[in-house]
PDB file of all heavy atoms in Angstrom:
ATOM      1  N   ARG R 341     -74.474-306.087  41.890  1.00 54.00           N
ATOM      2  CA  ARG R 341     -74.387-307.038  40.794  1.00 54.00           C
ATOM      3  C   ARG R 341     -74.872-308.385  41.317  1.00 54.00           C
ATOM      4  O   ARG R 341     -74.581-308.715  42.406  1.00 54.00           O
ATOM      5  CB  ARG R 341     -72.987-307.147  40.291  1.00 54.00           C
ATOM      6  CG  ARG R 341     -72.509-305.926  39.605  1.00 54.00           C
ATOM      7  CD  ARG R 341     -71.189-306.058  38.986  1.00 54.00           C
ATOM      8  NE  ARG R 341     -70.182-306.003  40.099  1.00 54.00           N
ATOM      9  CZ  ARG R 341     -68.951-306.400  40.070  1.00 54.00           C
ATOM     10  NH1 ARG R 341     -68.552-306.990  38.974  1.00 54.00           N
ATOM     11  NH2 ARG R 341     -68.100-306.365  40.969  1.00 54.00           N
ATOM     12  N   TRP R 343     -75.522-312.426  41.894  1.00 44.00           N
ATOM     13  CA  TRP R 343     -74.563-313.492  42.209  1.00 44.00           C
ATOM     14  C   TRP R 343     -73.311-312.881  42.932  1.00 44.00           C
ATOM     15  O   TRP R 343     -72.277-313.365  42.742  1.00 44.00           O
ATOM     16  CB  TRP R 343     -74.164-314.326  41.015  1.00 44.00           C
ATOM     17  CG  TRP R 343     -75.304-314.544  40.055  1.00 44.00           C
ATOM     18  CD1 TRP R 343     -75.499-313.952  38.858  1.00 44.00           C
ATOM     19  CD2 TRP R 343     -76.337-315.371  40.293  1.00 44.00           C
ATOM     20  NE1 TRP R 343     -76.708-314.375  38.283  1.00 44.00           N
ATOM     21  CE2 TRP R 343     -77.198-315.320  39.234  1.00 44.00           C
ATOM     22  CE3 TRP R 343     -76.780-316.261  41.266  1.00 44.00           C
ATOM     23  CZ2 TRP R 343     -78.433-316.010  39.023  1.00 44.00           C
ATOM     24  CZ3 TRP R 343     -77.934-316.983  41.202  1.00 44.00           C
ATOM     25  CH2 TRP R 343     -78.788-316.830  40.020  1.00 44.00           C
ATOM     26  N   SER R 344     -73.564-311.870  43.780  1.00 45.00           N
ATOM     27  CA  SER R 344     -72.395-311.174  44.311  1.00 45.00           C
ATOM     28  C   SER R 344     -71.605-312.035  45.323  1.00 45.00           C
ATOM     29  O   SER R 344     -70.464-311.649  45.629  1.00 45.00           O
ATOM     30  CB  SER R 344     -72.956-309.880  45.048  1.00 45.00           C
ATOM     31  OG  SER R 344     -73.839-310.290  46.160  1.00 45.00           O
ATOM     32  N   GLY R 345     -72.144-313.075  45.705  1.00 45.00           N
ATOM     33  CA  GLY R 345     -71.352-313.921  46.752  1.00 45.00           C
ATOM     34  C   GLY R 345     -70.418-314.874  46.068  1.00 45.00           C
ATOM     35  O   GLY R 345     -69.650-315.632  46.780  1.00 45.00           O
ATOM     36  N   PHE R 346     -70.345-314.867  44.772  1.00 50.00           N
ATOM     37  CA  PHE R 346     -69.500-315.888  44.030  1.00 50.00           C
ATOM     38  C   PHE R 346     -68.424-315.238  43.364  1.00 50.00           C
ATOM     39  O   PHE R 346     -68.477-314.035  42.989  1.00 50.00           O
ATOM     40  CB  PHE R 346     -70.386-316.665  43.071  1.00 50.00           C
ATOM     41  CG  PHE R 346     -71.481-317.573  43.726  1.00 50.00           C
ATOM     42  CD1 PHE R 346     -72.671-316.976  43.939  1.00 50.00           C
ATOM     43  CD2 PHE R 346     -71.184-318.812  44.113  1.00 50.00           C
ATOM     44  CE1 PHE R 346     -73.637-317.799  44.529  1.00 50.00           C
ATOM     45  CE2 PHE R 346     -72.132-319.627  44.706  1.00 50.00           C
ATOM     46  CZ  PHE R 346     -73.378-319.057  44.890  1.00 50.00           C
ATOM     47  N   PHE R 347     -67.450-315.974  42.947  1.00 53.00           N
ATOM     48  CA  PHE R 347     -66.390-315.509  41.997  1.00 53.00           C
ATOM     49  C   PHE R 347     -65.559-314.404  42.488  1.00 53.00           C
ATOM     50  O   PHE R 347     -65.082-313.569  41.702  1.00 53.00           O
ATOM     51  CB  PHE R 347     -66.878-315.305  40.632  1.00 53.00           C
ATOM     52  CG  PHE R 347     -67.592-316.467  40.024  1.00 53.00           C
ATOM     53  CD1 PHE R 347     -68.968-316.524  39.946  1.00 53.00           C
ATOM     54  CD2 PHE R 347     -66.907-317.507  39.508  1.00 53.00           C
ATOM     55  CE1 PHE R 347     -69.645-317.639  39.456  1.00 53.00           C
ATOM     56  CE2 PHE R 347     -67.481-318.570  38.993  1.00 53.00           C
ATOM     57  CZ  PHE R 347     -68.904-318.683  38.844  1.00 53.00           C
ATOM     58  N   ASP R 348     -65.402-314.213  43.785  1.00 64.00           N
ATOM     59  CA  ASP R 348     -64.444-313.233  44.285  1.00 64.00           C
ATOM     60  C   ASP R 348     -64.825-311.825  43.734  1.00 64.00           C
ATOM     61  O   ASP R 348     -63.888-311.054  43.345  1.00 64.00           O
ATOM     62  CB  ASP R 348     -63.017-313.568  44.044  1.00 64.00           C
ATOM     63  CG  ASP R 348     -62.665-314.998  44.516  1.00 64.00           C
ATOM     64  OD1 ASP R 348     -62.990-315.313  45.632  1.00 64.00           O
ATOM     65  OD2 ASP R 348     -62.156-315.786  43.715  1.00 64.00           O
ATOM     66  N   ARG R 349     -66.010-311.436  43.772  1.00 74.00           N
ATOM     67  CA  ARG R 349     -66.469-310.149  43.240  1.00 74.00           C
ATOM     68  C   ARG R 349     -65.912-309.008  44.194  1.00 74.00           C
ATOM     69  O   ARG R 349     -66.043-309.092  45.378  1.00 74.00           O
ATOM     70  CB  ARG R 349     -67.908-310.088  43.105  1.00 74.00           C
ATOM     71  CG  ARG R 349     -68.432-308.775  42.598  1.00 74.00           C
ATOM     72  CD  ARG R 349     -69.812-308.415  42.973  1.00 74.00           C
ATOM     73  NE  ARG R 349     -70.178-308.831  44.328  1.00 74.00           N
ATOM     74  CZ  ARG R 349     -69.886-308.098  45.380  1.00 74.00           C
ATOM     75  NH1 ARG R 349     -69.138-307.006  45.338  1.00 74.00           N
ATOM     76  NH2 ARG R 349     -70.273-308.527  46.638  1.00 74.00           N
ATOM     77  N   LEU R 350     -65.503-307.926  43.555  1.00 81.00           N
ATOM     78  CA  LEU R 350     -65.051-306.771  44.389  1.00 81.00           C
ATOM     79  C   LEU R 350     -66.163-305.856  44.572  1.00 81.00           C
ATOM     80  O   LEU R 350     -67.062-305.625  43.649  1.00 81.00           O
ATOM     81  CB  LEU R 350     -63.872-306.074  43.606  1.00 81.00           C
ATOM     82  CG  LEU R 350     -62.696-306.869  43.330  1.00 81.00           C
ATOM     83  CD1 LEU R 350     -61.656-306.027  42.527  1.00 81.00           C
ATOM     84  CD2 LEU R 350     -62.026-307.382  44.635  1.00 81.00           C
ATOM     85  N   GLY R 351     -66.201-305.095  45.712  1.00 78.00           N
ATOM     86  CA  GLY R 351     -67.284-304.190  46.009  1.00 78.00           C
ATOM     87  C   GLY R 351     -66.664-302.881  46.564  1.00 78.00           C
ATOM     88  O   GLY R 351     -65.470-302.646  46.498  1.00 78.00           O
ATOM     89  N   ASP R 354     -63.574-302.812  48.884  1.00 88.00           N
ATOM     90  CA  ASP R 354     -62.314-303.307  48.382  1.00 88.00           C
ATOM     91  C   ASP R 354     -61.558-302.157  47.496  1.00 88.00           C
ATOM     92  O   ASP R 354     -60.440-302.417  47.214  1.00 88.00           O
ATOM     93  CB  ASP R 354     -62.533-304.544  47.492  1.00 88.00           C
ATOM     94  CG  ASP R 354     -63.244-305.631  48.199  1.00 88.00           C
ATOM     95  OD1 ASP R 354     -62.750-306.155  49.236  1.00 88.00           O
ATOM     96  OD2 ASP R 354     -64.382-305.956  47.791  1.00 88.00           O
ATOM     97  N   GLU R 399     -60.980-307.989  38.584  1.00 88.00           N
ATOM     98  CA  GLU R 399     -61.397-309.291  39.159  1.00 88.00           C
ATOM     99  C   GLU R 399     -60.821-310.446  38.479  1.00 88.00           C
ATOM    100  O   GLU R 399     -60.343-311.456  39.127  1.00 88.00           O
ATOM    101  CB  GLU R 399     -62.968-309.393  39.165  1.00 88.00           C
ATOM    102  CG  GLU R 399     -63.599-308.455  40.135  1.00 88.00           C
ATOM    103  CD  GLU R 399     -65.141-308.290  39.928  1.00 88.00           C
ATOM    104  OE1 GLU R 399     -65.612-308.729  38.931  1.00 88.00           O
ATOM    105  OE2 GLU R 399     -65.799-307.848  40.836  1.00 88.00           O
ATOM    106  N   ASN R 400     -60.841-310.449  37.116  1.00 86.00           N
ATOM    107  CA  ASN R 400     -60.283-311.567  36.378  1.00 86.00           C
ATOM    108  C   ASN R 400     -58.756-311.682  36.619  1.00 86.00           C
ATOM    109  O   ASN R 400     -58.282-312.756  36.772  1.00 86.00           O
ATOM    110  CB  ASN R 400     -60.472-311.379  34.927  1.00 86.00           C
ATOM    111  CG  ASN R 400     -61.941-311.478  34.484  1.00 86.00           C
ATOM    112  OD1 ASN R 400     -62.739-312.156  35.230  1.00 86.00           O
ATOM    113  ND2 ASN R 400     -62.310-310.855  33.369  1.00 86.00           N
ATOM    114  N   LEU R 402     -57.143-310.718  39.346  1.00 90.00           N
ATOM    115  CA  LEU R 402     -56.932-311.199  40.779  1.00 90.00           C
ATOM    116  C   LEU R 402     -57.263-312.635  40.825  1.00 90.00           C
ATOM    117  O   LEU R 402     -56.596-313.440  41.551  1.00 90.00           O
ATOM    118  CB  LEU R 402     -57.743-310.377  41.722  1.00 90.00           C
ATOM    119  CG  LEU R 402     -57.345-308.894  41.840  1.00 90.00           C
ATOM    120  CD1 LEU R 402     -58.417-308.148  42.763  1.00 90.00           C
ATOM    121  CD2 LEU R 402     -55.964-308.754  42.436  1.00 90.00           C
ATOM    122  N   LYS R 403     -58.310-313.108  40.130  1.00 84.00           N
ATOM    123  CA  LYS R 403     -58.651-314.565  40.214  1.00 84.00           C
ATOM    124  C   LYS R 403     -57.576-315.389  39.541  1.00 84.00           C
ATOM    125  O   LYS R 403     -57.194-316.413  40.087  1.00 84.00           O
ATOM    126  CB  LYS R 403     -59.982-314.736  39.386  1.00 84.00           C
ATOM    127  CG  LYS R 403     -60.441-316.184  39.463  1.00 84.00           C
ATOM    128  CD  LYS R 403     -61.727-316.363  38.768  1.00 84.00           C
ATOM    129  CE  LYS R 403     -62.228-317.800  38.786  1.00 84.00           C
ATOM    130  NZ  LYS R 403     -63.570-317.968  37.988  1.00 84.00           N
ATOM    131  N   ARG R 406     -54.770-315.648  42.033  1.00 81.00           N
ATOM    132  CA  ARG R 406     -55.087-316.653  43.120  1.00 81.00           C
ATOM    133  C   ARG R 406     -54.966-318.035  42.590  1.00 81.00           C
ATOM    134  O   ARG R 406     -54.421-318.922  43.309  1.00 81.00           O
ATOM    135  CB  ARG R 406     -56.498-316.282  43.706  1.00 81.00           C
ATOM    136  CG  ARG R 406     -56.544-315.136  44.583  1.00 81.00           C
ATOM    137  CD  ARG R 406     -57.854-315.043  45.246  1.00 81.00           C
ATOM    138  NE  ARG R 406     -58.909-314.503  44.400  1.00 81.00           N
ATOM    139  CZ  ARG R 406     -59.146-313.273  44.267  1.00 81.00           C
ATOM    140  NH1 ARG R 406     -58.551-312.346  44.995  1.00 81.00           N
ATOM    141  NH2 ARG R 406     -60.097-312.829  43.406  1.00 81.00           N
ATOM    142  N   ASN R 407     -55.418-318.289  41.435  1.00 78.00           N
ATOM    143  CA  ASN R 407     -55.353-319.632  40.815  1.00 78.00           C
ATOM    144  C   ASN R 407     -53.842-320.072  40.603  1.00 78.00           C
ATOM    145  O   ASN R 407     -53.459-321.117  40.915  1.00 78.00           O
ATOM    146  CB  ASN R 407     -56.057-319.686  39.519  1.00 78.00           C
ATOM    147  CG  ASN R 407     -57.576-319.687  39.591  1.00 78.00           C
ATOM    148  OD1 ASN R 407     -58.092-319.980  40.625  1.00 78.00           O
ATOM    149  ND2 ASN R 407     -58.254-319.328  38.549  1.00 78.00           N
ATOM    150  N   ARG R 410     -52.496-320.771  44.021  1.00 72.00           N
ATOM    151  CA  ARG R 410     -52.889-322.103  44.490  1.00 72.00           C
ATOM    152  C   ARG R 410     -52.094-323.172  43.802  1.00 72.00           C
ATOM    153  O   ARG R 410     -51.801-324.237  44.392  1.00 72.00           O
ATOM    154  CB  ARG R 410     -54.407-322.293  44.238  1.00 72.00           C
ATOM    155  CG  ARG R 410     -55.238-321.543  45.199  1.00 72.00           C
ATOM    156  CD  ARG R 410     -56.705-322.085  45.202  1.00 72.00           C
ATOM    157  NE  ARG R 410     -57.394-321.644  43.919  1.00 72.00           N
ATOM    158  CZ  ARG R 410     -58.130-320.602  43.826  1.00 72.00           C
ATOM    159  NH1 ARG R 410     -58.275-319.780  44.834  1.00 72.00           N
ATOM    160  NH2 ARG R 410     -58.730-320.320  42.626  1.00 72.00           N
ATOM    161  N   LYS R 474     -64.818-325.983  45.773  1.00 65.00           N
ATOM    162  CA  LYS R 474     -64.919-324.754  45.002  1.00 65.00           C
ATOM    163  C   LYS R 474     -65.532-325.004  43.623  1.00 65.00           C
ATOM    164  O   LYS R 474     -66.347-324.241  43.124  1.00 65.00           O
ATOM    165  CB  LYS R 474     -63.556-324.144  44.906  1.00 65.00           C
ATOM    166  CG  LYS R 474     -63.598-322.668  44.134  1.00 65.00           C
ATOM    167  CD  LYS R 474     -62.183-322.108  44.202  1.00 65.00           C
ATOM    168  CE  LYS R 474     -62.201-320.729  43.509  1.00 65.00           C
ATOM    169  NZ  LYS R 474     -62.498-320.797  42.129  1.00 65.00           N
ATOM    170  N   PHE R 658     -70.015-311.486  34.455  1.00 55.00           N
ATOM    171  CA  PHE R 658     -70.927-310.384  34.840  1.00 55.00           C
ATOM    172  C   PHE R 658     -71.065-309.312  33.755  1.00 55.00           C
ATOM    173  O   PHE R 658     -71.655-308.339  33.897  1.00 55.00           O
ATOM    174  CB  PHE R 658     -70.334-309.624  36.128  1.00 55.00           C
ATOM    175  CG  PHE R 658     -70.286-310.510  37.331  1.00 55.00           C
ATOM    176  CD1 PHE R 658     -69.041-310.571  38.070  1.00 55.00           C
ATOM    177  CD2 PHE R 658     -71.372-311.252  37.671  1.00 55.00           C
ATOM    178  CE1 PHE R 658     -69.017-311.320  39.195  1.00 55.00           C
ATOM    179  CE2 PHE R 658     -71.305-312.031  38.870  1.00 55.00           C
ATOM    180  CZ  PHE R 658     -70.133-312.094  39.549  1.00 55.00           C
TER     181      PHE R 658
END
Side-chain angles (χ1 to χ4, degrees):
R341 290 180 289 159
W343 319 107
S344 59
F346 296 91
F347 301 104
D348 306 311
R349 178 204 41 81
L350 300 178
D354 306 297
E399 288 169 342
N400 291 338
L402 294 173
K403 183 178 180 181
R406 283 188 284 270
N407 289 340
R410 283 196 291 266
K474 184 176 180 296
F658 301 127

